[in-house]
Amino acid sequence: MTEARESAGPHARHVPGEPCWVSLMVHDLAATEEFYGELFGWEFRPGPQQLGPCVRALLDGREVAGMGQLPPDRRLPIAWTPYLASDDVDRTADTVRLCGGTVAVGPLDAAEAGRMAIVSDPSGAVFGIWQGAAHLGTAITGVPGTPAWDELLTFETESVAKFYVSVFGYEVEPVVSADFDYVTLHLGGRAVAGLHGVGHALPRDRGSYWRTYFEVCDAEAALRQVVDLGGRVLRPVHDSAHGRVATVADPEGAEFSVIQDPC
């Protein structure tokens, strides 16, 4: 990942292409609320119900993330899904198709909150597109319990980077390294997301996917709490150029990373 965290501040409209929201669809919504409520201090209130029961996670009264309940017969992968902002979801979805991606859901209205679509890039990685109206997206960043970074894990970055540049107009900044395939996506000179080519380390049964990083005060303490709450540690705490990082899974298997920002 790279440094792109912002300090908490007033809720503003997100620039097209900027990660603006993150959501999770699960089978046991009540248990998932309990897990993340204990881990991040989130509270919850009902959200738009077009796609079934869902809630919005709040931190200090401001919206951070969304969660929804899958129908009992749906056996989709349980995964955090980032949403990228758009001024026109319908046009962006058309561009996704033209550039080799797939539109799985929508575009459709989410009541007065906005308009959305769920799509995938040519490598199969799923993400959302959000056109905000009453709901602009994540209302607070830069404090523990908030999304800090979104990163695509894929086989190689060169071809998939062309897709995201074509759809959202990103500028790209590759990491110059013989053994590290990483590209940072920029908007207006600011890093907003990363693409990480991991080659054959990519799980064959899963394919490419987006991973969300959440900020915490103490990474080691967060991992102990994850385990106590029924989750798993996938990669222990380690030092990176941007802080102490670890990767975990919640009780239903949704992966995410935590990054330490000492409080």
Side-chain angles (χ1 to χ4, degrees), residues 7-169:
S7 60
H11 192 11
R13 183 168 293 278
H14 293 270
V15 176
E18 182 181 7
C20 63
W21 189 242
V22 64
S23 72
L24 177 64
M25 298 294 291
V26 297
H27 294 291
D28 190 336
L29 184 56
T32 300
E33 288 181 39
E34 183 176 354
F35 174 86
Y36 287 98
E38 290 289 335
L39 182 62
F40 292 139
W42 291 350
E43 298 176 334
F44 301 90
R45 70 180 178 203
Q49 307 292 305
Q50 278 84 350
L51 300 179
C54 74
V55 295
R56 289 186 180 150
L58 308 177
L59 188 64
D60 295 329
R62 289 184 279 183
E63 295 176 344
V64 174
M67 294 179 183
Q69 185 161 311
L70 287 166
D73 59 342
R74 297 293 295 276
R75 293 299 165 188
L76 298 174
I78 308 299
W80 281 100
T81 301
Y83 283 71
L84 306 179
S86 172
D87 284 340
D88 186 333
V89 163
D90 296 77
R91 184 178 60 200
T92 303
D94 286 342
T95 306
V96 165
R97 291 190 190 95
L98 289 171
C99 293
T102 302
V103 177
V105 177
L108 54 83
D109 290 326
E112 75 286 351
R115 190 162 172 80
M116 61 162 285
I118 302 293
V119 304
S120 59
D121 67 26
S123 73
V126 175
F127 64 96
I129 307 168
W130 181 255
Q131 180 180 342
H135 171 66
L136 299 180
T138 303
I140 179 174
T141 58
V143 298
T146 62
W149 186 247
D150 290 292
E151 186 173 273
L152 173 67
L153 282 80
T154 188
F155 182 76
E156 55 84 25
T157 63
E158 184 176 1
S159 59
V160 76
K162 293 176 181 177
F163 167 84
Y164 286 98
V165 169
S166 297
V167 175
F168 293 105

Side-chain angles (χ1 to χ4, degrees), residues 143-229:
V143 298
T146 62
W149 186 247
D150 290 292
E151 186 173 273
L152 173 67
L153 282 80
T154 188
F155 182 76
E156 55 84 25
T157 63
E158 184 176 1
S159 59
V160 76
K162 293 176 181 177
F163 167 84
Y164 286 98
V165 169
S166 297
V167 175
F168 293 105
Y170 297 119
E171 301 138 5
V172 299
E173 183 179 303
V175 171
V176 180
S177 172
D179 57 357
F180 188 57
D181 182 11
Y182 200 98
V183 170
T184 306
L185 303 178
H186 291 250
L187 289 169
R190 183 170 60 91
V192 296
L195 312 178
H196 188 185
V198 297
H200 294 292
L202 192 70
R204 289 186 179 182
D205 60 346
R206 182 171 185 180
S208 299
Y209 64 99
W210 281 90
R211 174 180 292 162
T212 297
Y213 289 70
F214 292 94
E215 195 164 306
V216 295
C217 282
D218 183 324
E220 280 89 354
L223 262 61
R224 290 194 295 271
Q225 196 169 17
V226 164
V227 173
D228 289 344
L229 292 168

